[in-house]
Amino acid sequence: MIERRDSVGIQDGADKNDALPTEMSEAEHRVRTRLIHGVGNSERWDFSHHVVPPMTSSATFRLDSVERGAQGFVDFAHEGNTPHCHTPIYIYDRLDEPTRGMLEDNLALAERGDMGLCFASGMAAISAVFGTLVKSGEHIIAHDVLYGCTYSLVQNWMPRLNIRCDLADLRRPEIIARCATRDTRVVYFETPVNPDLTMIDIAGVASVVAELNESRTEDEKIRVVVDNTFASPFCQRPLELGADIVCLSLTKAIGGFGTDIGGAVVGPQWLHDSLIHYRKDFGGTLSPKAAWGTLVYGLPSLATRMANYQKSAAHIAQFLENHPKVSEVHYPGLKSFPQSELAQRQMRDDSGKFAPGSMLYFVLNDKTGDGQPARQLVNYLADHSYCITLAVSLGQIKTLIECPYWMTHSAMSVEAKRAHDLAPGGCRLSVGLEDWHDIVADLDAALDRI
Ligand SMILES: *Cc1c(COP(=O)(O)O)cnc(C)c1O
């Protein structure tokens, strides 16, 4: 009986991993290898006889005895500073479960954090970070351009909880010292910023915040939270640059294939217990079926995909920059990129190579300023292009294009968009794995038509 139970993986013994043939030291391997093999020696499942991690699908778990059940509830959200001290006792999917847990361990490894927790979407992850770190009466500082739904979250929903959010231009980190009050708890930003690829200096922000934190107690400290969705951990690891916490949409580059929605938070161990409690009670947990795809297909192929996305993005950026109908191209890999020095310093893959990513933003010549040429271009592509798809989302194997001013960033007022140079004529391009010649040919044909 006991053996049969062990063969489906839920085990009590702490010694089951002793016999694993490949004790792995992650630090010895390069990132592409590490993302494929991940945390091989997991306490969450009997890995010694699987090549591919199993997909668990059990809403609830057999507990054997009231005592074991009671131990499970004692253990839950009490990892404290000693994570994984014994094989987890699983109780109920929304609390914790093995497939999602394995993905969490691997995301922590990819982002170089102590721990990771997965959420039902990127937005569920971001709202859980705010919900955990900020209370009524407290204060958030965020960069003044954000992913549309994050913008709406801090502008429309946080104030209803009596949480104020000041938006500021964090390209100049010194501004934080002026905006911060005794009640500030979080500085939040994306870099590169969605959609126009503006860079925020992570180390610069962290150093301003560290100075402000010197006179604050642990509970009052300001935490630097970076949304690393655009870059992905392949191109940039904010925790290594001084950020406290990373938020990710798994739907984008990490998921890679566009089959599931998901999100994650990676950060310090002290955050784990309150964040997993928050997730349990608000309920925005990632489904293990979605976690499995990300664990088996998305994350293991991230390095190879991103390396190839980037190569194509460089060619496409060059082509657009030389095209007479294009007035601006924002790509961190271009020499003309206004924050090139910062991009070179901050966006590095694990081997230290410059990694400017897969996202491009470009603006078309637009005499009337109403975005007509961009809409024409994208509508033409939607009708005629084989390899460029009009769709929101990004980081997938298929190349996607959209108009942020009209679509993803419509939560921002016209005045806010104008104030931050989000032009009606701007296009956001997420480069996929197609042959770049085909992407350029389709762009060229569409540009000819406008
Ligand atoms: C898509 C996106 C999100 C939200 O992620 P979902 O998985 O769609 O909820 C957050 N931040 C950025 C930068 C994004 O691009």
Side-chain angles (χ1 to χ4, degrees), residues 120-124 126 147 149-150 188 190 192 194 227-230 248-252 261-263 393-394 428:
S121 66
M123 288 317 302
I126 294 164
Y147 172 67
C149 300
T150 311
Y188 181 93
E190 301 155 9
N194 185 353
D227 180 337
N228 200 31
T229 300
F230 247 43
L248 290 164
S249 168
L250 301 177
T251 321
K252 313 292 173 56
I261 297 266
S393 201
L394 53 110
R428 189 186 77 181

CSV table of all heavy atoms in Angstrom, one decimal, residues 120-124 126 147 149-150 188 190 192 194 227-230 248-252 261-263 393-394 428, ligand 1:
chain,number,residue,atom,x,y,z
A,120,ALA,N,-2.7,33.5,-10.9
A,120,ALA,CA,-3.6,33.2,-12.0
A,120,ALA,C,-3.3,34.0,-13.2
A,120,ALA,O,-3.6,33.7,-14.4
A,120,ALA,CB,-5.0,33.4,-11.6
A,121,SER,N,-2.7,35.2,-13.0
A,121,SER,CA,-2.3,36.1,-14.1
A,121,SER,C,-1.2,37.0,-13.6
A,121,SER,O,-0.9,37.1,-12.4
A,121,SER,CB,-3.5,36.9,-14.6
A,121,SER,OG,-3.9,37.8,-13.6
A,122,GLY,N,-0.6,37.8,-14.6
A,122,GLY,CA,0.3,38.8,-14.2
A,122,GLY,C,-0.3,39.8,-13.3
A,122,GLY,O,0.3,40.2,-12.3
A,123,MET,N,-1.5,40.2,-13.6
A,123,MET,CA,-2.2,41.2,-12.8
A,123,MET,C,-2.5,40.7,-11.4
A,123,MET,O,-2.5,41.4,-10.4
A,123,MET,CB,-3.5,41.7,-13.5
A,123,MET,CG,-3.3,42.5,-14.7
A,123,MET,SD,-2.1,43.8,-14.5
A,123,MET,CE,-2.7,44.8,-13.1
A,124,ALA,N,-2.9,39.4,-11.3
A,124,ALA,CA,-3.1,38.8,-9.9
A,124,ALA,C,-1.8,38.9,-9.1
A,124,ALA,O,-1.8,39.1,-7.9
A,124,ALA,CB,-3.6,37.4,-10.1
A,126,ILE,N,0.7,41.1,-9.5
A,126,ILE,CA,1.0,42.5,-9.2
A,126,ILE,C,0.1,43.0,-8.0
A,126,ILE,O,0.5,43.6,-7.1
A,126,ILE,CB,0.9,43.4,-10.4
A,126,ILE,CG1,1.9,43.0,-11.4
A,126,ILE,CG2,0.9,44.9,-10.1
A,126,ILE,CD1,1.7,43.6,-12.9
A,147,TYR,N,2.1,49.4,-17.9
A,147,TYR,CA,1.1,48.5,-18.6
A,147,TYR,C,-0.3,49.0,-18.3
A,147,TYR,O,-0.6,49.3,-17.1
A,147,TYR,CB,1.4,47.1,-18.1
A,147,TYR,CG,0.3,46.1,-18.6
A,147,TYR,CD1,0.2,45.8,-20.0
A,147,TYR,CD2,-0.5,45.5,-17.7
A,147,TYR,CE1,-0.7,44.9,-20.4
A,147,TYR,CE2,-1.5,44.5,-18.2
A,147,TYR,CZ,-1.6,44.3,-19.5
A,147,TYR,OH,-2.5,43.4,-19.9
A,149,CYS,N,-3.3,47.9,-17.6
A,149,CYS,CA,-4.1,47.4,-16.5
A,149,CYS,C,-3.4,47.7,-15.1
A,149,CYS,O,-4.1,47.9,-14.1
A,149,CYS,CB,-4.3,45.9,-16.6
A,149,CYS,SG,-5.2,45.4,-18.1
A,150,THR,N,-2.1,47.7,-15.1
A,150,THR,CA,-1.4,48.1,-13.9
A,150,THR,C,-1.7,49.6,-13.6
A,150,THR,O,-2.0,50.0,-12.4
A,150,THR,CB,0.1,47.9,-14.0
A,150,THR,OG1,0.3,46.6,-14.5
A,150,THR,CG2,0.8,48.1,-12.7
A,188,TYR,N,7.3,51.2,-7.6
A,188,TYR,CA,7.0,50.2,-8.6
A,188,TYR,C,7.2,50.7,-10.1
A,188,TYR,O,6.9,51.9,-10.4
A,188,TYR,CB,5.5,49.9,-8.5
A,188,TYR,CG,5.0,48.8,-9.5
A,188,TYR,CD1,5.0,47.5,-9.1
A,188,TYR,CD2,4.6,49.2,-10.8
A,188,TYR,CE1,4.7,46.5,-10.0
A,188,TYR,CE2,4.3,48.2,-11.7
A,188,TYR,CZ,4.3,46.9,-11.3
A,188,TYR,OH,3.9,45.9,-12.2
A,190,GLU,N,8.2,49.3,-14.5
A,190,GLU,CA,8.6,48.3,-15.5
A,190,GLU,C,9.9,48.9,-16.1
A,190,GLU,O,10.0,50.1,-16.2
A,190,GLU,CB,7.6,48.2,-16.6
A,190,GLU,CG,6.2,47.8,-16.1
A,190,GLU,CD,5.1,48.3,-17.0
A,190,GLU,OE1,5.3,48.8,-18.1
A,190,GLU,OE2,3.9,48.1,-16.6
A,192,PRO,N,12.4,47.4,-19.5
A,192,PRO,CA,11.9,48.5,-20.3
A,192,PRO,C,10.4,48.7,-20.0
A,192,PRO,O,9.7,47.7,-19.8
A,192,PRO,CB,12.1,48.1,-21.7
A,192,PRO,CG,13.1,46.9,-21.7
A,192,PRO,CD,12.9,46.3,-20.4
A,194,ASN,N,6.6,49.2,-20.8
A,194,ASN,CA,5.6,48.9,-21.8
A,194,ASN,C,4.8,50.1,-22.1
A,194,ASN,O,4.2,50.7,-21.1
A,194,ASN,CB,4.7,47.7,-21.2
A,194,ASN,CG,3.7,47.2,-22.2
A,194,ASN,OD1,3.5,47.7,-23.3
A,194,ASN,ND2,2.9,46.2,-21.8
A,227,ASP,N,8.5,45.1,-12.5
A,227,ASP,CA,7.8,44.2,-13.4
A,227,ASP,C,8.8,43.9,-14.5
A,227,ASP,O,9.2,44.8,-15.3
A,227,ASP,CB,6.6,45.0,-14.0
A,227,ASP,CG,5.8,44.1,-15.0
A,227,ASP,OD1,6.4,43.2,-15.6
A,227,ASP,OD2,4.6,44.4,-15.1
A,228,ASN,N,9.3,42.6,-14.5
A,228,ASN,CA,10.3,42.2,-15.5
A,228,ASN,C,9.8,41.5,-16.7
A,228,ASN,O,10.5,40.7,-17.4
A,228,ASN,CB,11.3,41.3,-14.7
A,228,ASN,CG,12.7,41.2,-15.4
A,228,ASN,OD1,13.1,42.2,-16.1
A,228,ASN,ND2,13.3,40.1,-15.3
A,229,THR,N,8.5,41.7,-17.0
A,229,THR,CA,7.8,41.0,-18.1
A,229,THR,C,8.4,41.3,-19.4
A,229,THR,O,8.7,40.3,-20.2
A,229,THR,CB,6.3,41.4,-18.1
A,229,THR,OG1,5.7,41.0,-16.8
A,229,THR,CG2,5.6,40.7,-19.2
A,230,PHE,N,8.7,42.5,-19.7
A,230,PHE,CA,9.2,42.9,-21.1
A,230,PHE,C,10.6,42.3,-21.3
A,230,PHE,O,10.8,41.8,-22.4
A,230,PHE,CB,9.3,44.4,-21.2
A,230,PHE,CG,8.3,45.0,-22.2
A,230,PHE,CD1,7.0,44.6,-22.2
A,230,PHE,CD2,8.7,46.0,-23.1
A,230,PHE,CE1,6.1,45.1,-23.1
A,230,PHE,CE2,7.8,46.6,-24.0
A,230,PHE,CZ,6.5,46.1,-24.0
A,248,LEU,N,6.1,39.1,-12.7
A,248,LEU,CA,6.2,38.6,-14.0
A,248,LEU,C,4.8,38.3,-14.5
A,248,LEU,O,4.0,37.7,-13.8
A,248,LEU,CB,7.0,37.4,-14.1
A,248,LEU,CG,8.5,37.5,-13.9
A,248,LEU,CD1,9.1,36.1,-13.5
A,248,LEU,CD2,9.2,38.1,-15.0
A,249,SER,N,4.5,38.5,-15.8
A,249,SER,CA,3.4,37.9,-16.5
A,249,SER,C,4.0,36.7,-17.2
A,249,SER,O,4.8,36.8,-18.0
A,249,SER,CB,2.8,38.8,-17.5
A,249,SER,OG,1.9,38.1,-18.3
A,250,LEU,N,3.5,35.5,-16.8
A,250,LEU,CA,4.0,34.3,-17.4
A,250,LEU,C,3.3,34.1,-18.8
A,250,LEU,O,3.8,33.2,-19.6
A,250,LEU,CB,3.7,33.0,-16.5
A,250,LEU,CG,4.3,33.1,-15.1
A,250,LEU,CD1,3.8,31.8,-14.3
A,250,LEU,CD2,5.8,33.1,-15.2
A,251,THR,N,2.3,34.9,-19.0
A,251,THR,CA,1.6,34.8,-20.3
A,251,THR,C,2.5,35.2,-21.5
A,251,THR,O,2.2,34.8,-22.6
A,251,THR,CB,0.4,35.8,-20.2
A,251,THR,OG1,-0.2,35.7,-18.9
A,251,THR,CG2,-0.6,35.5,-21.3
A,252,LYS,N,3.5,36.0,-21.2
A,252,LYS,CA,4.3,36.6,-22.2
A,252,LYS,C,5.6,35.7,-22.6
A,252,LYS,O,5.4,34.6,-22.9
A,252,LYS,CB,4.7,38.0,-21.8
A,252,LYS,CG,3.5,38.8,-21.2
A,252,LYS,CD,2.4,39.2,-22.3
A,252,LYS,CE,1.2,39.8,-21.7
A,252,LYS,NZ,1.4,41.0,-20.9
A,261,ILE,N,-2.7,31.9,-19.4
A,261,ILE,CA,-2.4,33.1,-18.7
A,261,ILE,C,-1.8,32.7,-17.3
A,261,ILE,O,-2.2,31.7,-16.7
A,261,ILE,CB,-3.8,33.8,-18.4
A,261,ILE,CG1,-4.5,34.2,-19.7
A,261,ILE,CG2,-3.7,34.9,-17.4
A,261,ILE,CD1,-4.2,35.6,-20.1
A,262,GLY,N,-0.8,33.5,-16.9
A,262,GLY,CA,-0.2,33.2,-15.6
A,262,GLY,C,0.6,34.4,-15.1
A,262,GLY,O,1.0,35.2,-15.9
A,263,GLY,N,0.9,34.4,-13.8
A,263,GLY,CA,1.8,35.4,-13.3
A,263,GLY,C,2.7,34.8,-12.2
A,263,GLY,O,2.4,33.7,-11.7
A,393,SER,N,-0.6,41.1,-26.3
A,393,SER,CA,0.4,40.1,-25.7
A,393,SER,C,1.7,40.2,-26.5
A,393,SER,O,1.9,41.0,-27.4
A,393,SER,CB,-0.2,38.7,-25.8
A,393,SER,OG,0.5,37.9,-24.8
A,394,LEU,N,2.7,39.4,-26.0
A,394,LEU,CA,4.0,39.6,-26.5
A,394,LEU,C,4.9,38.4,-26.0
A,394,LEU,O,4.4,37.6,-25.2
A,394,LEU,CB,4.6,40.9,-25.9
A,394,LEU,CG,4.6,41.1,-24.4
A,394,LEU,CD1,6.0,41.0,-23.8
A,394,LEU,CD2,4.0,42.5,-24.1
A,428,ARG,N,3.7,48.8,-31.4
A,428,ARG,CA,4.5,47.9,-30.6
A,428,ARG,C,4.6,46.6,-31.3
A,428,ARG,O,3.6,46.0,-31.7
A,428,ARG,CB,3.8,47.7,-29.2
A,428,ARG,CG,4.7,47.0,-28.2
A,428,ARG,CD,4.0,46.8,-26.9
A,428,ARG,NE,3.1,45.6,-27.1
A,428,ARG,CZ,2.2,45.2,-26.1
A,428,ARG,NH1,2.2,45.8,-24.9
A,428,ARG,NH2,1.5,44.1,-26.3
B,1,LIG,C1,0.8,41.6,-19.9
B,1,LIG,C2,1.5,42.4,-18.9
B,1,LIG,C3,1.0,42.3,-17.5
B,1,LIG,C4,-0.2,41.6,-17.1
B,1,LIG,O1,-0.1,40.2,-17.3
B,1,LIG,P1,-1.4,39.2,-17.5
B,1,LIG,O2,-0.7,37.9,-17.4
B,1,LIG,O3,-2.0,39.6,-18.8
B,1,LIG,O4,-2.3,39.5,-16.3
B,1,LIG,C5,1.8,43.0,-16.6
B,1,LIG,N1,2.8,43.8,-16.9
B,1,LIG,C6,3.3,43.8,-18.2
B,1,LIG,C7,4.5,44.7,-18.5
B,1,LIG,C8,2.6,43.1,-19.2
B,1,LIG,O5,3.1,43.2,-20.5
